[in-house]
Amino acid sequence: MKKTLDPLEPKADKATVRRHNLSLVLRAVHDEGEATRAAVAARVGLTRAAVSSLVEQLLGSGFLTESGKTFSGQAGRPGTALRVARTGPAGLGVEINVDYVSVCVVDLAGTDRVRLTEHLDNRDVPPGEVLARAARIAARTLESAGEQELRPAGVRLALPGLVSGGTVRQAPNLGWNQVAAEDLFGQALGALRPGLGDLPVGSENEANAAALAELWFGDGDGDGTAAGRTRARSFLYLSGEIGVGGAVVVEGELLRGAHGFAGEIGHVVAEAEGPECRCGSRGCLEQYAGQAALLRGAGIDEDAGGPGVAELERRAAAGDALAVAALERAGRMLGLVVSGAVNLLDPEAVVLGGVFRPLMPWLGPAADGELSRRVVSGLWPAGGGRLRASSSSGDAARGAAALVVRDVVTDPVGYVARVG
């Protein structure tokens, strides 16, 4: 019986091969931070002559720069150091959350070059208005980026809730359902800056974007004691905001699930008959460990936002019994739910970001205790360092912007063709 086979890809021609090799070379320099032609050739498996030709094209297109000489410690002449350019293509990341909008521009190296954050109450505000606000902040950010000779290659929105195909399917804490966020943002930005009307706009769940920032930029300072530790390649990331977002990274890649919605740990039920959640269920984790629950438990106005979190931290540091008890209770619930995820997924680490980061001294021990009691592998002893605060070097806006840069680095020819 004759089998039905998938159609084969067309045979690669010279232009396709060169396009692929340009990406290989650019990615090698990008990932190393600095490299000679000889080092790049060794890494990508091409001849030095071929790499030199590709490097010249990347230099001419403004993707790479040369600076000085570097010595490898081996015989032979020193090589010229190659780095990705600090001007030219850049990524624009826009994080929209319940009580703030944060926008940043990163260069090809992923360096955060411009950032604007505005604290706004976006709850129950029409989605188009929220996205227009974000576009106005983005437009101002791009003006500053232009002064540094950075040109946006695209935009990524980092959004709370279930995000798929450019649409926010559901974001309970914003009150959004079936919102075409990419289209609305793109139209608003294009109206403000007509020259950017065709700028590619993408979207990502905010916890996913923050997890990628942790993966790519995490500097090992999360717990304040383990600077320089090895970055985890497989970890569970929890983003503490008004709600609790989550992301799963496995061997350096996001685990998205069948429909792209993996990681919604904030809506894992901690108590079946617990408080009603905005998602329609009861007893979800964020009803015990979300920002509003933390503030409310400490006797602080649950709508106080960032200043409220700072006050909670101040009270806990001063030994306020109510604040400390609220944080310990939230930590226990975090540990209870996260231990189930650890038993299921076996990650190297659990990373707590967002408002959890500054509150780790009080949340962490309680969560750690639950993990040590409930994780069956025996690899999560209390104080073992697997439960970590996120790095100070990344957040959802930076992760979203870096996704744009990754697209450019993956296909520099495509970028040049698009922008002319």
Side-chain angles (χ1 to χ4, degrees), residues 61-62 85-91 106-108 148-153 415:
S61 298
R86 287 182 54 82
T87 59
V106 303
D107 59 23
L108 281 180
Q148 299 183 47
E149 299 182 58
L150 293 166
R151 300 187 304 274
Y415 169 77

Side-chain angles (χ1 to χ4, degrees), residues 178-258:
Q178 300 299 325
V179 174
E182 291 180 11
D183 290 344
L184 289 169
F185 179 87
Q187 292 163 12
L189 186 61
L192 291 167
R193 296 191 65 176
L196 299 177
D198 294 329
L199 196 65
V201 179
S203 56
E204 182 61 87
N205 171 270
E206 59 88 16
N208 283 349
L212 290 174
E214 183 71 21
L215 174 70
W216 294 331
F217 308 118
D219 55 13
D221 70 346
D223 60 8
T225 61
R229 69 191 174 199
T230 302
R231 257 183 235 166
R233 298 273 298 165
S234 297
F235 59 93
L236 175 63
Y237 184 93
L238 274 72
S239 173
E241 302 291 349
I242 297 294
V244 178
V248 182
V249 177
V250 179
E251 290 300 315
E253 300 289 339
L254 283 172
L255 176 66
R256 294 187 176 275

Side-chain angles (χ1 to χ4, degrees), residues 76-122:
R77 293 179 299 174
T80 305
L82 298 167
R83 296 187 180 90
V84 291
R86 287 182 54 82
T87 59
L92 176 65
V94 180
E95 180 187 1
I96 298 173
N97 224 303
V98 175
D99 54 358
Y100 66 88
V101 173
S102 187
V103 180
C104 79
V105 175
V106 303
D107 59 23
L108 281 180
T111 305
D112 194 334
R113 298 283 295 275
V114 186
R115 181 179 290 265
L116 285 177
T117 300
E118 290 194 9
H119 294 279
L120 304 158
D121 189 348
N122 294 317

Side-chain angles (χ1 to χ4, degrees), residues 112 115 213-214 217-221 357 390-395 398:
D112 194 334
R115 181 179 290 265
E214 183 71 21
F217 308 118
D219 55 13
D221 70 346
R357 186 176 191 276
S390 64
S391 165
S392 62
S393 301
D395 60 10
R398 189 178 182 192

